[in-house]
């Protein structure tokens, strides 16, 4: 794929991926209050949607039950789309997910998205604790079709109907970080979201495969791709860089420290010099860090070079005040156009 200038005539749609971070000294309840504030700010500033990802057994992430969190956020907002980005479908039966998101769609018509992934969303010990079938990932394509049929009111299982759910036709998305998800989304004619905020490696190839192999469906006539970017926008370059360093340390510590181990900044910086630390740091390759104009330009250049229709932004700062300011600053400058950049 070659670099491309963004020639769109409409403003680039921006969305928010909320990781429901439990900050230092905070509780899960604090994280949920912060998620409400973030969604309300995103709604007020014109972002298209807010998504929540299913993660398990992670001490700093509170979004283990996206459907419950979405219901709470929906009751505190009025127009913005809300969704799972995503539900790890092999952890669940398609019928259960159809009922959960059918319930949400019935309560909040026209506002619910359902992104689907096939990863466990945690480590292997937690997978066993969830009683997950090791072969469930192999059935992911069939489970997507079963779920889609429940939501369309055309059950593939005789005598079983999703109530609520049937006829709600909650829009499905395929999430991924590899060519598998790109090909599946193309084959099923579904929108595709790439997790480039932590798995950047295959972004360009995956989007290219998705677009070239796309088959129209009842849900989608033309391919529609979204990709994720870490964003830290601040009033000064120095403060944005400070926040980015803190975020990078937090992620390296999260992935490489033993459970219950508290590492100093110096110890984390030492870890970052190891191959494992460098690998974790590379996960943050797509990160827009700086003042409003710098971040907005990066996001637009990223969208053009990656050939995506929408960018979902993970505002990764440590505090809710910093995340809200980042959301505001990007919204202020989000219609800036830039020159192409190699992605």
């Amino acid at each position: 794929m070659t670099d491309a200038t963004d020639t769109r005539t409409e403003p680039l749609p921006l969305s928010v991926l909320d990781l429901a971070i439990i900050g230092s000294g905070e509780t899960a309840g604090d994280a949920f209050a912060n998620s409400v504030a973030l969604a309300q700010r995103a709604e007020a500033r014109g972002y298209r949607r807010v998504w929540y990802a299913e993660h398990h057994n992670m001490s700093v992430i509170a979004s283990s039950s996206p459907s419950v969190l979405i219901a709470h956020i929906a009751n505190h907002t009025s127009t913005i789309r809300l969704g799972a980005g995503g539900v790890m479908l092999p952890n669940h039966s398609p019928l259960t997910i159809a009922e959960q998101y059918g319930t949400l769609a019935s309560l909040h018509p026209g506002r619910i998205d359902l992104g689907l992934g096939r990863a466990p969303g945690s480590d292997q010990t937690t997978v066993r604790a969830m009683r997950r079938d090791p072969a469930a990932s192999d059935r992911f394509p069939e489970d997507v079709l079963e779920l889609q049929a429940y939501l369309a009111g055309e059950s593939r299982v005789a005598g079983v109907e999703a109530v609520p759910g049937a006829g709600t036709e909650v829009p499905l998305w395929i999430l991924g970080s590899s060519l598998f998800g790109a090909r599946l989304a193309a084959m099923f004619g579904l929108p595709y979201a790439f997790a480039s905020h932590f798995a950047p490696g295959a972004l360009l190839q995956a989007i290219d495969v998705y677009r070239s192999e796309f088959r129209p469906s009842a849900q989608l006539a033309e391919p529609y791709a979204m990709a994720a970017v870490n964003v830290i926008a601040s009033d000064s370059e120095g403060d944005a860089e400070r926040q980015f360093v803190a975020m990078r340390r937090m992620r390296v510590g999260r992935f490489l420290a033993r459970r219950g181990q508290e590492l100093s900044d110096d110890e984390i910086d030492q870890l970052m010099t190891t191959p494992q630390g460098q690998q974790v740091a590379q996960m943050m390759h797509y990160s827009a860090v700086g003042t409003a104009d710098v971040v907005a330009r990066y996001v637009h250049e990223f969208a053009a070079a990656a050939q995506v229709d929408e960018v979902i932004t993970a505002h990764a700062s440590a505090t809710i005040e910093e995340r809200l300011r980042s959301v505001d600053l990007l919204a202020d400058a989000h219609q800036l156009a830039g020159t192409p950049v190699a992605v």
Side-chain angles (χ1 to χ4, degrees), residues 5 11 24 33 46 72 81 105 107 124 127 134 151 154 158 171 193 204 210 214 243 268 292 303 310 326-327 335:
T5 301
S24 177
H72 178 63
R81 297 192 67 88
L107 291 169
Q124 291 305 308
V127 167
L151 294 171
E154 301 170 355
L204 300 183
Y210 169 67
F214 182 83
Q243 293 182 39
I268 293 175
E310 183 175 341
S326 184
V327 164
Q335 292 190 41

Side-chain angles (χ1 to χ4, degrees), residues 60-192:
V60 296
I61 296 180
S63 55
S64 57
S65 300
S67 60
V68 179
L69 183 53
I70 290 167
H72 178 63
I73 302 295
N75 282 329
H76 290 81
T77 53
S78 57
T79 58
I80 195 165
R81 297 192 67 88
L82 302 167
V87 164
M88 300 299 104
L89 190 55
N91 294 343
H92 314 275
S93 75
L95 177 61
T96 298
I97 297 303
E99 291 169 342
Q100 290 178 6
Y101 285 82
T103 298
L104 288 169
S106 298
L107 291 169
H108 307 283
R111 295 185 59 200
I112 304 301
D113 299 325
L114 179 48
L116 304 170
R118 65 168 182 154
S122 192
D123 58 86
Q124 291 305 308
T125 301
T126 308
V127 167
R128 290 192 292 273
M130 291 191 296
R131 306 297 192 269
R132 187 177 191 260
D133 180 355
S137 292
D138 297 335
R139 297 194 301 270
F140 181 66
E142 292 77 15
D143 284 351
V144 171
L145 291 176
E146 183 179 332
L147 171 58
Q148 187 177 45
Y150 284 133
L151 294 171
E154 301 170 355
S155 176
R156 298 162 67 97
V157 181
V160 177
E161 182 180 8
V163 182
T168 57
E169 300 194 55
V170 177
L172 301 184
W173 291 67
I174 299 296
L175 278 58
S177 57
S178 69
L179 302 189
F180 176 87
R183 289 201 163 98
L184 189 69
M187 181 172 64
F188 289 171
L190 296 175
Y192 179 55

